């Protein structure tokens, strides 16, 4: 079974803090994704990576950066947290070949920025 | 702009009935189609994937794809209260893309 884990289930941070969200997958997937999910807005792609040290902007990259130093790990960084970044953050991974581009999700991190 | 549209619901069905969830997509070249189930406060989990026109059955779930009409649906037979969740439709456009475009989901409520 594919397993995607995220470093925290719940996180409370102050405005202006630097926030790190980590995601690890154990299935040797090439692709990894970060989404945020808000009521009424659905899943929105922040960044994705198709290989180590490679990254591509998604639909809403502003205020975020990412790091992928190892294949299994993809980190999302909020450089200076703001209240409008309060959200559910979801990490996902997928294979590049085969699997039909199926994405498997981690349990999510619910972030509250005060 | 690639779009995936779903009726937000809520869709209410009695226990034991068939629940029918629908999804339309805008990119005619789309090649892979997925249904995810998401319980409140949890992350999406894959239920079904479908790649060819027609029906694909897995237990109580049937996915239906009609590429000509750009339409994909999910039928849940013998609906159970545990099926109450939000169902997300997702589409991959192919052409070397690794991304999925997600609909906003349909909330299903199965009434005991």
């Amino acid at each position: 079974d594919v397993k995607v884990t995220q470093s925290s289930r719940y996180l409370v941070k102050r405005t202006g803090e630097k926030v790190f969200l980590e995601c690890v997958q154990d299935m040797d997937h090439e692709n990894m994704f970060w989404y945020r999910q808000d009521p009424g807005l659905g899943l929105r792609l922040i960044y994705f990576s198709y290989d180590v040290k490679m990254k591509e902007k998604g639909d809403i990259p502003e205020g975020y950066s990412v790091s992928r130093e190892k294949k299994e790990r993809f980190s999302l960084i909020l450089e200076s947290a703001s209240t409008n970044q309060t959200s559910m953050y979801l990490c996902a991974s997928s294979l590049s070949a085969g699997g039909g581009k199926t994405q498997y999700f981690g349990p999510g991190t619910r972030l509250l920025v005060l | 702009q690639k779009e995936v549209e779903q009726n937000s619901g809520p869709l209410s069905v009695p226990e034991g009935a068939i629940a029918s969830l629908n999804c339309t997509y805008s990119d005619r070249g789309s090649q892979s189609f997925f249904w995810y189930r998401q319980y409140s406060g949890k992350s999406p989990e894959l239920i079904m994937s479908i790649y060819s026109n027609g029906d694909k059955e897995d237990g109580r779930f049937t996915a239906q794809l009609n590429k000509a009409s750009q339409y994909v649906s999910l039928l849940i037979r013998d609906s159970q209260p545990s099926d109450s969740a939000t169902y997300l439709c997702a589409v991959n456009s192919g052409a070397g893309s690794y991304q999925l475009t997600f609909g906003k989901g349909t909330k299903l409520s199965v009434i005991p």
Side-chain angles (χ1 to χ4, degrees):
Chain A
D1 277 354
V2 177
K3 189 168 184 182
V4 181
T5 58
Q6 294 183 229
S7 50
S8 304
R9 293 299 303 273
Y10 301 94
L11 211 50
V12 180
K13 295 293 181 181
R14 297 277 179 196
T15 301
E17 280 192 81
K18 192 168 186 176
V19 182
F20 293 87
L21 302 181
E22 290 210 319
C23 175
V24 177
Q25 49 91 8
D26 67 355
M27 284 303 291
D28 205 35
H29 284 178
E30 293 86 1
N31 305 316
M32 297 187 75
F33 306 83
W34 275 107
Y35 296 90
R36 64 176 284 177
Q37 188 175 34
D38 301 287
L41 297 178
L43 279 165
R44 292 183 290 169
L45 181 65
I46 304 171
Y47 267 98
F48 70 99
S49 169
Y50 54 89
D51 201 351
V52 176
K53 296 191 185 296
M54 305 303 291
K55 61 184 179 185
E56 294 283 344
K57 292 180 180 179
D59 300 319
I60 52 164
E62 297 79 17
Y64 303 94
S65 61
V66 290
S67 173
R68 194 166 181 202
E69 296 296 319
K70 294 185 177 182
K71 189 175 185 179
E72 67 271 17
R73 190 179 298 268
F74 192 35
S75 301
L76 180 70
I77 304 153
L78 287 64
E79 296 290 342
S80 178
S82 63
T83 55
N84 64 12
Q85 292 179 311
T86 291
S87 187
M88 169 74 117
Y89 289 87
L90 291 159
C91 175
S93 70
S94 72
L95 285 169
S96 286
K101 312 298 190 293
T102 305
Q103 290 186 17
Y104 298 91
F105 285 85
T109 296
R110 192 168 291 278
L111 173 66
L112 173 62
V113 182
L114 300 173
Chain B
Q1 180 93 8
K2 299 168 187 173
E3 294 184 345
V4 175
E5 299 287 342
Q6 296 182 254
N7 188 323
S8 61
L11 174 66
S12 294
V13 300
E15 184 174 355
I18 296 175
S20 178
L21 305 164
N22 305 313
C23 171
T24 59
Y25 58 94
S26 63
D27 184 356
R28 186 169 288 279
S30 297
Q31 297 184 2
S32 306
F33 307 86
F34 306 88
W35 283 100
Y36 287 83
R37 177 177 62 199
Q38 187 174 24
Y39 292 114
S40 181
K42 303 294 186 182
S43 62
E45 57 178 324
L46 181 72
I47 299 176
M48 297 276 290
S49 57
I50 186 167
Y51 309 107
S52 304
N53 277 331
D55 293 1
K56 179 181 177 183
E57 187 175 317
D58 184 359
R60 295 187 296 113
F61 299 96
T62 299
Q64 299 175 316
L65 175 61
N66 184 326
K67 289 186 178 180
S69 300
Q70 295 175 238
Y71 177 94
V72 59
S73 65
L74 179 70
L75 301 178
I76 306 174
R77 290 182 300 281
D78 188 25
S79 294
Q80 301 296 310
S82 59
D83 295 325
S84 298
T86 297
Y87 289 80
L88 305 176
C89 174
V91 175
N92 173 260
S93 64
S97 170
Y98 303 125
Q99 297 181 54
L100 296 182
T101 302
F102 285 86
K104 292 181 180 179
T106 297
K107 187 170 183 178
L108 172 67
S109 180
V110 180
I111 311 300

